[in-house]
Amino acid sequence: MRTLILNRHVLTWATGDRGGYLPAAPEDRFLLTRTYGGGLADYDASAFPHLAVVDTYFADRLEAAARWLVETHRIQRIVALHEKDLLLAATLRENYGLPGADVGSTLRFRDKVLMKDTLRAAGYSGLPRYRALEPGEELTAVPWEGRTVVKSRWGLGAEQVRIVDDLAAANTAARELEAGGDQIEAEEFVTGAMYHCDSVVRDGRILFTAVSRYLTPPGAFKPGGVSGSVVLTEGAVRESLLAENEHVLGILAPGSAVTHVEFFRRPSGELVFCEAAARPPGAGISGLLHTAYGVDVVRAAVELQSGVEPTLPATIAQPPHATGLILVYPSAIGEDRFAEDLRNRVPGVRSYHYTPPQSPGRVRHAADVAHKVVLTADTEAELDRRLASVLDAVRAVGAPQTNAPEGSHAAPNR
C-alpha cells in the first residue's frame, strides 16, 4: 500500500520508531516533510527511502509537491496529522479517487462556524451564541452580555483568538486577524472549567474515549506560563462529558479518525461546546493518554487513515492512579537546567520531554511548550501536590510563574 504522509510534526512523534506506525513496507512509504520543528528528527533513510522536503509555510509549494508524489508514484493512501494539512489531504483524496476523509467531512472539523452550524441544524442545544463576520464587517451589536471572543474560523492552538471587553475592541481584533488573511467569527465568552474528550472512532463507532480537565485554558499561553490536564476516571461530570462527546461526534460524523473535542462547564453545571478536531491532540496530551490507558492515539490516527484497524489494548481499564500532565512554556531563564534533578525531586514522574524553543522568548501558540511532564499519584490530592512540586522545580531555576494552576482542581475561565 503506497502511502504518502504529509508531516510537519516531530517525525518520530508522527510516524513512530523507524516509521513503525505506518502499516506499509519502507519501499511503499513516501515522506513529505520539513526541516523545521523536528520534521526530520531521527530520520532513517532505510525506513523512509522516498523523501521530499519543502518549506511547508508556502502552501502552494506543499500542494505541488504532494500532487507530484501522488501522480508519479501512484499513491494509494494519504496520511496527515497536523490541522493545517487535513484539508489538503482531503482534497487530494477527492481529486485522485483515494479512500479516506473527504472535503465535506473534514470541513465540519476545520471551519469553526460550519461545525457549530452543523450541530445547530441537527438540534444540538449546547452551543455558545456565535456569528460569522463578513470581511470588513463592523460589529454594532451582539446578542449576549459581557465579553466577546473574536477568532479565526480556521485557527489552531488558540493562536488566533482574542478576548475583548467591548465592541470597539472586538472590531479592532477582527481587523487585526483579517490582515493575516483570516475569516472571522465572534462568540460569547463562556466562564467555567474547560475539558477535552479524546476519542478513537472507527467507521462511526467510538472505540475509546478519555475525558480530561485542562488546568488552565489553552488560550492562556505566554512565556513562562503553565498549562496541562488531569484525566478524569469517575464521577457525574465525566459521565456527562462522555454523553456530550458521543452526541457531538454522532452529528459531525468523523468516519474513522482520532478526535479531540473541547467543552466548557459553566458554574451552573451546563456543558457548552467549544471546538472539535479530527486529529490527535497536541501539547503532550497523547503522552498523558498513553500513560493513563496504554492507548497511543497518534499511532491509532495513522492506522485509521491507512485503512486498518487501530492498535488498541485488548482491554482498556480505567487507570489505577491519578494521572496528570503539566506543561511549562519557554522562557529565557533556566531552560536547559530544568530536568537535571526533576525525577529525584518529584515522585511519580512517568515521562519528561524538553523541546528547545524555535523562537527564543516567544510563545506562538498553545502547543509551543518547552517542558512536558506526565505524573501519576495514588490520589488526586497527591497528584495536586506533585504538580505543585514541578512548579517549584521551575521556580528553582528562575523561570517566571504565570498562569500557574492551584492544583488540578483549578477552574479556568476562557
Side-chain angles (χ1 to χ4, degrees):
M1 181 172 55
R2 292 183 297 279
T3 301
L4 170 63
I5 179 165
L6 309 177
N7 177 60
R8 65 176 83 208
H9 288 100
V10 173
L11 180 59
T12 50
W13 183 88
T15 66
D17 181 44
R18 303 187 71 251
Y21 291 174
L22 283 159
E27 61 269 21
D28 288 331
R29 299 174 188 157
F30 295 81
L31 174 63
L32 177 55
T33 189
R34 64 185 188 180
T35 57
Y36 179 81
L40 282 170
D42 298 320
Y43 168 74
D44 183 338
S46 66
F48 290 100
H50 309 290
L51 171 67
V53 180
V54 298
D55 186 341
T56 53
Y57 178 82
F58 298 98
D60 55 341
R61 298 181 188 178
L62 177 64
E63 180 173 350
R67 288 186 179 278
W68 181 87
L69 286 165
V70 171
E71 293 170 3
T72 302
H73 297 284
R74 301 187 303 282
I75 295 297
Q76 297 167 295
R77 284 277 180 177
I78 298 176
V79 173
L81 300 182
H82 198 286
E83 192 87 10
K84 292 182 179 179
D85 296 328
L86 298 180
L87 196 53
L88 171 58
T91 301
L92 293 172
R93 293 186 192 109
E94 284 199 358
N95 290 170
Y96 294 100
L98 303 178
D102 59 16
V103 171
S105 62
T106 301
L107 280 172
R108 292 194 295 272
F109 287 87
R110 283 292 291 124
D111 183 339
K112 301 180 196 309
V113 170
L114 177 61
M115 72 175 65
K116 288 191 278 287
D117 284 349
T118 301
L119 291 167
R120 184 172 62 182
Y124 180 76
S125 60
L127 293 171
R129 286 170 290 182
Y130 70 98
R131 55 159 299 184
L133 272 66
E134 297 297 325
E137 179 183 355
E138 292 285 321
L139 279 172
T140 58
V142 291
W144 55 80
E145 296 180 357
R147 307 177 82 187
T148 293
V149 181
V150 180
K151 60 184 178 181
S152 167
R153 293 171 60 166
W154 307 91
L156 66 157
E159 183 178 11
Q160 294 145 300
V161 176
R162 307 290 184 268
I163 299 173
V164 297
D165 293 317
D166 53 48
L167 291 180
N171 288 317
T172 298
R175 300 295 83 76
E176 175 190 332
L177 292 172
E178 281 183 343
D182 288 303
Q183 294 175 297
I184 309 302
E185 73 153 317
E187 61 183 52
E188 66 173 313
F189 177 91
V190 179
T191 298
M194 194 170 180
Y195 299 82
H196 54 96
C197 297
D198 299 284
S199 303
V200 178
V201 185
R202 172 72 159 158
D203 295 329
R205 184 167 64 95
I206 298 176
L207 305 180
F208 164 78
T209 298
V211 178
S212 307
R213 180 181 61 250
Y214 284 116
L215 298 181
T216 59
F221 59 88
K222 62 178 64 177
V226 174
S227 185
S229 299
V230 171
V231 174
L232 303 185
T233 59
E234 59 184 4
V237 173
R238 178 179 182 272
E239 294 304 313
S240 296
L241 284 160
L242 285 171
E244 205 76 3
N245 178 68
E246 183 176 4
H247 191 183
V248 166
L249 294 181
I251 296 169
L252 296 181
S256 295
V258 167
T259 59
H260 176 72
V261 186
E262 297 175 333
F263 297 95
F264 298 100
R265 184 172 183 266
R266 297 186 193 269
S268 65
E270 177 192 6
L271 295 178
V272 181
F273 173 81
C274 178
E275 294 178 2
R279 44 78 180 163
I285 295 173
S286 60
L288 171 71
L289 302 183
H290 190 264
T291 296
Y293 292 99
V295 173
D296 188 335
V297 291
V298 179
R299 178 172 191 156
V302 172
E303 291 170 335
L304 287 167
Q305 292 189 37
S306 300
V308 303
E309 196 73 22
T311 300
L312 299 174
T315 301
I316 303 176
Q318 289 302 317
H321 304 288
T323 311
L325 163 73
I326 191 161
L327 308 171
V328 183
Y329 291 97
S331 65
I333 303 172
E335 294 294 345
D336 58 348
R337 304 198 308 276
F338 181 59
E340 286 179 357
D341 62 349
L342 181 62
R343 291 181 183 274
N344 294 328
R345 293 183 57 179
V346 183
V349 173
R350 298 293 298 275
S351 68
Y352 170 79
H353 296 282
Y354 170 67
T355 302
Q358 298 294 327
S359 304
R362 178 171 175 255
V363 178
R364 302 161 297 161
H365 48 69
D368 194 16
V369 297
H371 308 279
K372 303 175 187 176
V373 187
V374 176
L375 306 100
T376 60
D378 289 337
T379 66
E380 190 166 325
E382 179 59 29
L383 181 64
D384 286 348
R385 289 189 284 271
R386 292 180 180 182
L387 291 168
S389 294
V390 173
L391 300 186
D392 288 341
V394 177
R395 294 186 183 100
V397 296
Q401 291 305 293
T402 57
N403 294 330
E406 296 178 0
S408 66
H409 298 286
N413 293 330
R414 192 180 189 185

